[in-house]
Amino acid sequence: MIEQVKGLLNAKDLSGKRGGVFEQFINELEELDYVPKWRVMLAADYGVAQLRERVFIVATKKPNGFQFPNPTHSKPSETMTLFNLPSYVTVGEVLDGLDEPVLKTDVSV
């Protein structure tokens, strides 16, 4: 499993071909008899308090029954549907209930 910035999809290879690095990487996995599956996923769709897209690549040996998970959260504007998911988690919700930070005066390096 590999998780990387979305820019990997457009990275130029040595010849300057846009997306060439990703294409070469996928081809090399296949040459090693792996079945790569990839998807761009938004962290907020899975309960992380970040609107960050990342590329996930999962490569397994044949046969490959791997499936990416369905989102567990959705935009607040989409929570009023028939099969609604919880709204995106906010940083405030993540921090709520944490103790106050404690200043350490004796810091050993």
Side-chain angles (χ1 to χ4, degrees):
M1 182 185 140
I2 299 164
E3 175 259 345
Q4 189 54 262
V5 296
K6 192 169 84 167
L8 174 66
L9 299 175
N10 297 316
K12 294 178 182 178
D13 62 15
L14 294 176
S15 69
K17 179 181 176 185
R18 186 178 177 148
V21 169
F22 183 73
E23 183 180 320
Q24 181 180 352
F25 180 68
I26 294 298
N27 288 339
E28 288 186 25
L29 285 171
E30 290 171 342
E31 286 176 18
L32 292 170
D33 206 28
Y34 281 92
V35 178
K37 293 186 179 183
W38 64 276
R39 179 176 289 175
V40 175
M41 301 171 86
L42 178 64
D45 287 342
Y46 298 90
V48 178
Q50 294 180 356
L51 293 174
R52 178 181 296 191
E53 289 184 313
R54 303 291 282 186
V55 175
F56 286 84
I57 304 165
V58 177
T60 60
K61 291 288 188 173
K62 297 177 183 177
N64 185 346
F66 174 80
Q67 296 292 320
F68 283 95
N70 291 324
T72 59
H73 292 71
S74 64
K75 295 179 187 176
S77 62
E78 297 173 2
T79 59
M80 300 304 291
T81 61
L82 180 60
F83 301 107
N84 60 326
L85 296 172
S87 185
Y88 287 165
V89 176
T90 67
V91 172
E93 292 170 322
V94 171
L95 298 177
D96 188 40
L98 292 178
D99 293 336
E100 290 292 320
V102 176
L103 179 62
K104 294 188 177 189
T105 56
D106 180 27
V107 180
S108 302
V109 178

